[in-house]
Amino acid sequence: CMLVVTGGTAGPAKGCMISHNYACNIARQVLKREDRNEKTINWTPLPFFHMNAVAGSILSCMMVGGRVAVFPRFSVSKFWDDIERSGATIVNLLGSMLTFIANAPESEAAKRVYGQVFAVRGSPFPPAIQQIWKERFGVKITGSFNYGFTEAARVTTLPDDIQGPPGNAGRINEDFDVRLVDDDDNEVPAGEPGEIIVRPRHPDIMFSGYWNRPEDTLKIFKNMWLHTGDIGRFDEDGFLFFVDRKKDYLRRRGENISSFELENTFKKHPDVRDVAVHAVFAETEDEVKATIVLKEDSTVTAEEMCGWCVDKVPYFAVPRFFEFREDLPRNPVGRVLKYQLRDEGCTATTWDREKEGFELARR
């Protein structure tokens, strides 16, 4: 049907071979989870080289006779004007787009269409940002409540009429077998983090391999299971929680640290527009660095930012390094390229709390 190129956030991008049935099955999953019909108007700024727009928006709406409003390029300043123009009832966004809109200045168009948008889909979608969308814009449903990636989309899902715990990524559905394993592929018990591995219960509902990369295809199918490279955790009720990318999961001085959870903490700071937490090598081992994009006119210092987070994260997770930038390196879909930040390491503008003599009280 098509080749969809992976995001390239963890290394070289690869072309995923997508069958017709795989694309249509994603659309069917959307309809099982969401209440879409001929009155639905799905607004999306996402590119057509991304499965979200092609299958999650266009194909799902085609199946029920709904409509799709495609915006050529994401814009914070034009967002609410186009929501008003299109009459959109469902919005699909990704990552930092959700935060940018939530924290944008007041908009007359947003006031006029208060409550028009029924659902906003996107991930990651921190609970605090979800609450802003509900209170400020009158949105009823916020979040995607599913987990998947280009190779195997929506291996866990959650219907809108089920209220799961905050931050969950759904439950295992009838399409996939999903397990969490350690480095030796031994299954881990509920409550403990492990790599998410999956296999299909039906034919042609996941990718058919990497285009002209048979070795890479075999590598990801270790022991006949597709290894996602993501770390997750199941609770006692079977809800999946995303913990981190395996390559982004940090281990510092014997302690495991989730960059995903740290980023959600920093996004609660009133001056933070966006942030990436990642490892950098320093002296003899990896240390934690927070690369932060501040809001316009912010005067907060790196030392103040470090002091702010001390009471909000475990002592071992407080980053040693801080750097402020105008933006973060991203792929065409907007996802942050952490491997690039890791490779750049400690730049000339990086603040080091140990060299600056910042005292960190152990709790």
Side-chain angles (χ1 to χ4, degrees), residues 15 59 90 107-108 118 127 136 179 232 238 257 270 290 302 315:
L59 281 178
I90 295 175
S107 163
E108 291 302 317
F118 176 75
R136 188 177 177 190
R179 303 190 186 179
I257 302 170
Y315 76 93

Side-chain angles (χ1 to χ4, degrees), residues 102-284:
N103 294 327
E106 291 294 333
S107 163
E108 291 302 317
K111 294 178 183 177
R112 289 193 296 269
V113 299
Y114 180 89
Q116 173 186 304
V117 175
F118 176 75
V120 174
R121 308 293 181 181
S123 180
F125 208 157
I129 301 300
Q130 290 187 39
Q131 194 61 32
I132 293 176
W133 276 88
K134 291 178 179 179
E135 295 177 355
R136 188 177 177 190
F137 308 128
V139 176
K140 298 295 189 297
I141 296 176
T142 55
S144 292
F145 305 108
N146 64 70
Y147 167 79
F149 63 145
T150 306
E151 289 86 340
R154 303 181 188 274
V155 301
T156 60
T157 54
L158 191 68
D160 284 340
D161 58 357
I162 296 179
Q163 296 296 314
N168 83 86
R171 284 171 163 160
I172 301 172
N173 57 46
E174 67 273 16
D175 287 341
F176 289 92
D177 190 358
V178 184
R179 303 190 186 179
L180 304 182
V181 298
D182 60 21
D183 289 339
D184 296 317
D185 272 10
N186 298 309
E187 194 166 359
V188 300
E192 292 189 14
E195 182 176 5
I196 304 170
I197 62 173
V198 304
R199 60 185 178 188
R201 297 184 185 276
H202 311 288
D204 300 315
I205 59 170
M206 57 188 287
F207 88 133
S208 305
Y210 295 120
W211 179 255
N212 288 335
R213 288 177 177 264
E215 295 86 358
D216 287 328
T217 302
L218 289 174
K219 189 183 300 182
I220 198 173
F221 280 103
K222 178 184 174 183
N223 293 336
M224 300 300 292
W225 287 80
L226 188 153
H227 286 60
T228 67
D230 287 338
I231 297 174
R233 172 179 58 82
F234 278 121
D235 69 8
E236 295 293 341
D237 297 317
F239 288 99
L240 176 69
F241 292 82
F242 175 81
V243 175
D244 212 343
R245 285 287 297 165
K246 194 171 184 178
K247 290 186 177 180
D248 295 334
Y249 200 52
L250 309 172
R251 188 167 179 83
R252 177 180 179 270
R253 300 178 187 179
E255 300 284 359
N256 292 323
I257 302 170
S258 168
S259 68
F260 179 73
E261 292 178 359
L262 276 183
E263 287 163 358
N264 283 340
T265 297
F266 278 109
K267 287 176 181 177
K268 296 177 183 177
H269 190 287
D271 285 353
V272 171
R273 185 167 180 259
D274 205 358
V275 58
V277 174
H278 54 94
V280 292
F281 187 76
E283 291 92 36
T284 60

